[in-house]
Amino acid sequence: MRRATMRDVAAAAGVSFKTVSRVVNDEPGVSGPLVDKVQAAVAALGYRHNLAARSLRHSEQRTASMAVLLQDLSNSFSAQLMRAIDDVARERDLVVMATSLDEEEEREHGLVANLIKRRVDGLIMMPASRDHAYLQREVSAGFHVVLIDRPPINVDVDFVVVDNVGGAKQATNHLLQQGHRRIAVITDEVRVATARQRLDGYRTALAEAGVEYDGALVRAARSREAAAEAVQELLASANPPTAVFSARNVITEGTALALRRAGLSDRIAMVGFDDVPWAELLSPGITVIKQDALAVGRLAAELLLSRMEGSTDPPRHQVLPVQLIPRGSGEIQTS
Amino acid sequence: MRRATMRDVAAAAGVSFKTVSRVVNDEPGVSGPLVDKVQAAVAALGYRHNLAARSLRHSEQRTASMAVLLQDLSNSFSAQLMRAIDDVARERDLVVMATSLDEEEEREHGLVANLIKRRVDGLIMMPASRDHAYLQREVSAGFHVVLIDRPPINVDVDFVVVDNVGGAKQATNHLLQQGHRRIAVITDEVRVATARQRLDGYRTALAEAGVEYDGALVRAARSREAAAEAVQELLASANPPTAVFSARNVITEGTALALRRAGLSDRIAMVGFDDVPWAELLSPGITVIKQDALAVGRLAAELLLSRMEGSTDPPRHQVLPVQLIPRGSGEIQTS
DNA sequence: ATGAAAGCGCTAACAT
DNA sequence: ATGTTAGCGCTTTCAT
């Protein structure tokens, strides 16, 4: 059950297959009657234009496609990035390939190689790896890459990140202002750049306030459950925190869960990094440092498109601001 | 800045370009020294295999790609579907193109056409349209389609849905059992198949319990804000409901929001269709009819893969069960 | 073990 | 306005 080709259509319509090509591509220079005959044959045979063959021959070998590599497409932050990127791509009729890296470096390398073999026109990636030098060769060969959420390491390419250090400082300062001195922080694993930056911001804020850093208040957790456990342990410790800075959305979930279970939602203050859709449904509402995922995604897509359209500007480094949204949980004072 | 081709590599390595093809494809029958020479040339020139050209000539013209068309990739249900599909695709080294349809019929048609032009090997779609007859021709031509969340109309293809009618009945019965008689229901617009089915289940449960259907308790809402408004209006009406069945995840958010704003979270019962990650963070927790998005996605992907691997079984219709998870909000009794 | 020729489905450049 | 030829980068088939 082979698909019909232009030659098949040409034979059925009694014209040359170049005429079919003209009709299919809406090129001028074909008489009305012939156009009709060709279209009739196309319909009769169920012919479908083959874009792969087209782009192979076409002068500028574009595939009108791009790829998005995130860590976990089911995470709401990533899902929003994807959505924003897709919205921009849609305007240009670009198809978007998307997948999750799950912080696996090997997977990142394999996928980038695979996508280049497929000749996607560009890539937006939240990198899992900590060395992006391997991208240099591809970028030099004309492959376009925009990193997102995490800055490039050992290579200079376009990127869009948010002010993680500033946001974490702001979160910590906010809690300090409510009188808290024992502020726990739960972050992602330190190999993740954003986790390191947010921890930096936390430490800087403490230092500036003259509050001593206490490693016992710092935990790493990847999942919601791990975060909940970490908070539970901290609460049960000899010298428990009076406030928590949860440095990532799933950690915020885990923290809220642990506080609820302990019946301490109204006693222990918390500020989360990254807004969550249910933040205002809780009592108290969750105070967060909001990063505008849609803006990050949109901007990254626009940077990529400008490259695909020929921009040769030097690599552009975009750091978007974040915003503290007080909703109650972060305004709980020390008693 | 043209990318190197096999011919370029062959010239650089001093071999025929067929030998390069053999090396690049890990085919046997090339001596060790030649393999080395070719690989050196590949590295020197930054050569990258062109999969589009390959699949054009290759006997079975597979592109090792599939597409996923959902309504809104940023919705947590859709994001989970995508994640599950991607996990299965990953095992087979398939690339997944994904995008949102936003309930736009035109967009669905355009995308399906475009994806066929790109010769994707298969498609998993949550359809926006209400007539899928146009798919018949493509399916007959060997294109593989699996519908998800909503069943096919006017065409018979594989699909995976959940028991919407049964789930809605269960939700309604649960509220009836707590003594509620005035149960509001907020659904998606009626053009959406799942909304109609869930409304059916609601009506059936009422009828079976001998409770008269009251159209004044039924509202449609697409967004969280619209749902919140609808609930607010209902609560302010002359004869307000004592319970709410929110028939979709964003509606559940809106309902929870409205109840919280009205300070009635502990007074008005609610059950939501589709589990939400924050359901157990609220007080009371949100009782839901859980549909296993990951299972739906996984199963759909497996059905599609089996087609791609040659299955010619008659169209398979999968209806997955749903499960009521009591967390508090659904167990509030009439006072 | 290696290579030359043909052709996948299409567009570009050039006829007529 | 229509058609012919060549060739995109690759795999296949068939030599050597």
Side-chain angles (χ1 to χ4, degrees):
Chain A
M1 188 129 63
R2 215 182 92 265
R3 274 216 175 254
T5 70
M6 280 191 177
R7 294 196 139 82
D8 299 327
V9 175
V15 299
S16 84
F17 88 119
K18 174 68 229 194
T19 299
V20 177
S21 170
R22 290 202 173 93
V23 173
V24 166
N25 288 293
D26 283 318
E27 282 174 30
V30 183
S31 65
L34 273 201
V35 170
D36 293 346
K37 263 165 72 175
V38 169
Q39 287 176 338
V42 163
L45 299 181
Y47 168 77
R48 297 294 178 258
H49 199 181
N50 185 328
L51 257 34
R54 168 179 228 257
S55 79
L56 195 60
R57 191 61 180 89
H58 208 279
S59 2
E60 26 154 6
Q61 297 201 159
R62 306 290 229 66
T63 53
S65 66
M66 52 175 287
V68 176
L69 266 36
L70 302 174
Q71 294 311 318
D72 176 9
L73 285 169
S74 70
N75 178 283
S76 69
F77 178 63
S78 290
Q80 282 188 73
L81 290 175
M82 176 64 195
R83 173 75 220 215
I85 293 167
D86 185 37
D87 283 348
V88 175
R90 177 191 304 199
E91 292 167 17
R92 309 290 219 289
D93 261 307
L94 293 173
V95 154
V96 180
M97 308 179 186
T99 192
S100 305
L101 294 178
D102 292 327
E103 304 291 356
E104 292 169 25
E105 204 161 330
E106 303 271 300
R107 190 163 156 68
E108 173 186 317
H109 293 143
L111 272 161
V112 169
N114 186 255
L115 293 166
I116 288 172
K117 288 183 187 169
R118 289 171 184 273
R119 298 295 190 271
V120 297
D121 298 331
L123 169 66
I124 295 179
M125 171 166 75
M126 182 189 297
S129 70
R130 290 189 57 177
D131 181 356
H132 311 131
Y134 74 100
L135 290 173
Q136 184 58 64
R137 142 151 266 156
E138 312 303 344
V139 170
S140 303
F143 184 62
H144 303 121
V145 179
V146 175
L147 293 195
I148 195 169
D149 190 58
R150 307 169 185 185
I153 302 171
N154 297 330
V155 69
D156 191 12
V157 297
D158 291 341
F159 69 83
V160 183
V161 299
V162 302
D163 181 10
N164 287 298
V165 175
K169 270 184 71 173
Q170 210 179 338
T172 311
N173 279 333
H174 191 70
L175 291 168
L176 287 166
Q177 279 158 22
Q178 318 300 320
H180 298 283
R181 291 298 174 271
R182 290 194 60 72
I183 304 172
V185 56
I186 325 284
T187 68
D188 203 336
E189 320 245 321
V190 288
R191 69 191 157 115
V192 177
T194 46
R196 292 195 300 280
Q197 292 171 336
R198 292 170 195 173
L199 196 55
D200 274 1
Y202 164 86
R203 294 189 70 153
T204 303
L206 289 188
E208 287 177 3
V211 174
E212 202 179 350
Y213 173 81
D214 179 358
L217 292 173
V218 181
R219 298 294 175 96
R222 287 240 72 216
S223 69
R224 160 187 174 146
E225 287 67 31
E229 271 179 48
V231 171
Q232 192 184 348
E233 284 171 23
L234 285 166
L235 294 174
S237 67
N239 197 357
T242 63
V244 180
F245 169 40
S246 61
R248 196 178 157 232
N249 58 12
V250 299
I251 296 174
T252 299
E253 278 184 40
T255 302
L257 190 60
L259 292 183
R260 190 198 160 184
R261 284 182 183 149
L264 291 171
S265 304
D266 292 309
R267 306 285 315 272
I268 306 284
M270 76 174 280
V271 175
F273 201 111
D274 193 13
D275 200 4
V276 287
W278 42 269
E280 52 185 325
L281 302 183
L282 302 198
S283 298
I286 306 292
T287 297
V288 300
I289 300 295
K290 174 181 169 143
Q291 52 179 341
D292 191 339
L294 295 177
V296 171
R298 194 182 321 120
L299 185 52
E302 278 160 4
L303 289 181
L304 182 60
L305 285 173
S306 79
R307 291 292 179 205
M308 288 164 43
E309 283 157 8
S311 163
T312 55
D313 294 350
R316 292 156 295 184
H317 306 168
Q318 302 275 3
V319 181
L320 299 190
V322 294
Q323 182 192 1
L324 187 142
I325 301 184
R327 293 202 182 94
S329 75
E331 292 69 49
I332 296 172
Q333 318 228 333
T334 42
S335 40
Chain B
M1 189 129 61
R2 214 183 90 266
R3 275 220 175 251
T5 72
M6 280 193 179
R7 294 196 140 81
D8 300 327
V9 175
V15 298
S16 84
F17 90 117
K18 174 66 233 194
T19 298
V20 177
S21 171
R22 289 201 173 93
V23 173
V24 165
N25 287 293
D26 283 319
E27 282 173 30
V30 183
S31 65
L34 273 201
V35 171
D36 293 346
K37 262 165 72 175
V38 169
Q39 287 177 336
V42 164
L45 299 181
Y47 168 77
R48 298 292 177 261
H49 200 181
N50 185 328
L51 256 36
R54 167 179 228 258
S55 79
L56 195 60
R57 191 60 180 87
H58 206 279
S59 5
E60 25 155 8
Q61 297 201 159
R62 308 288 230 67
T63 53
S65 65
M66 53 177 285
V68 176
L69 266 34
L70 302 174
Q71 295 309 320
D72 176 9
L73 286 168
S74 69
N75 179 282
S76 70
F77 178 65
S78 290
Q80 281 187 76
L81 290 175
M82 176 64 195
R83 174 74 221 215
I85 293 166
D86 185 38
D87 283 349
V88 176
R90 180 191 302 201
E91 292 167 16
R92 309 289 218 289
D93 262 308
L94 292 173
V95 155
V96 179
M97 306 177 189
T99 192
S100 304
L101 294 179
D102 292 327
E103 304 291 357
E104 293 169 25
E105 202 161 329
E106 302 272 301
R107 187 163 159 67
E108 174 186 318
H109 292 143
L111 273 161
V112 169
N114 186 256
L115 293 166
I116 289 171
K117 288 184 189 169
R118 289 171 184 273
R119 297 295 189 271
V120 297
D121 298 330
L123 169 66
I124 294 180
M125 172 165 77
M126 181 187 299
S129 71
R130 291 188 60 176
D131 181 357
H132 312 131
Y134 74 100
L135 290 173
Q136 185 57 64
R137 142 151 266 157
E138 313 303 343
V139 171
S140 304
F143 184 62
H144 304 120
V145 180
V146 176
L147 293 195
I148 194 170
D149 189 58
R150 308 170 184 185
I153 301 171
N154 297 331
V155 70
D156 191 11
V157 297
D158 292 341
F159 70 83
V160 183
V161 299
V162 301
D163 180 10
N164 287 299
V165 175
K169 270 185 70 173
Q170 211 180 336
T172 311
N173 279 333
H174 190 71
L175 291 168
L176 287 166
Q177 278 157 24
Q178 318 301 320
H180 298 284
R181 290 298 174 270
R182 292 195 60 72
I183 304 173
V185 56
I186 325 284
T187 69
D188 203 335
E189 320 245 322
V190 287
R191 69 190 157 116
V192 176
T194 47
R196 293 194 300 280
Q197 293 172 337
R198 292 171 195 172
L199 196 55
D200 275 0
Y202 164 85
R203 293 190 71 152
T204 304
L206 288 188
E208 287 178 5
V211 175
E212 201 178 352
Y213 173 81
D214 179 358
L217 292 174
V218 180
R219 299 295 174 97
R222 288 242 71 216
S223 69
R224 158 188 175 145
E225 286 66 31
E229 270 179 47
V231 171
Q232 192 184 347
E233 284 171 23
L234 286 166
L235 293 175
S237 68
N239 196 357
T242 63
V244 180
F245 169 39
S246 60
R248 193 176 162 235
N249 58 13
V250 300
I251 296 174
T252 300
E253 278 183 41
T255 302
L257 191 59
L259 293 183
R260 192 202 157 180
R261 284 183 184 150
L264 291 171
S265 305
D266 293 308
R267 307 284 317 272
I268 306 285
M270 75 175 280
V271 176
F273 201 110
D274 192 15
D275 200 6
V276 286
W278 41 270
E280 50 183 327
L281 301 182
L282 303 198
S283 297
I286 306 292
T287 296
V288 299
I289 302 294
K290 175 181 167 139
Q291 52 178 342
D292 191 341
L294 295 177
V296 171
R298 195 183 318 119
L299 185 51
E302 278 160 4
L303 289 181
L304 181 60
L305 286 173
S306 80
R307 291 292 179 205
M308 287 167 41
E309 284 157 8
S311 163
T312 55
D313 293 350
R316 291 157 294 184
H317 306 168
Q318 302 276 3
V319 181
L320 299 191
V322 295
Q323 182 192 0
L324 186 142
I325 301 183
R327 293 203 181 94
S329 74
E331 292 70 49
I332 296 172
Q333 319 228 334
T334 41
S335 42

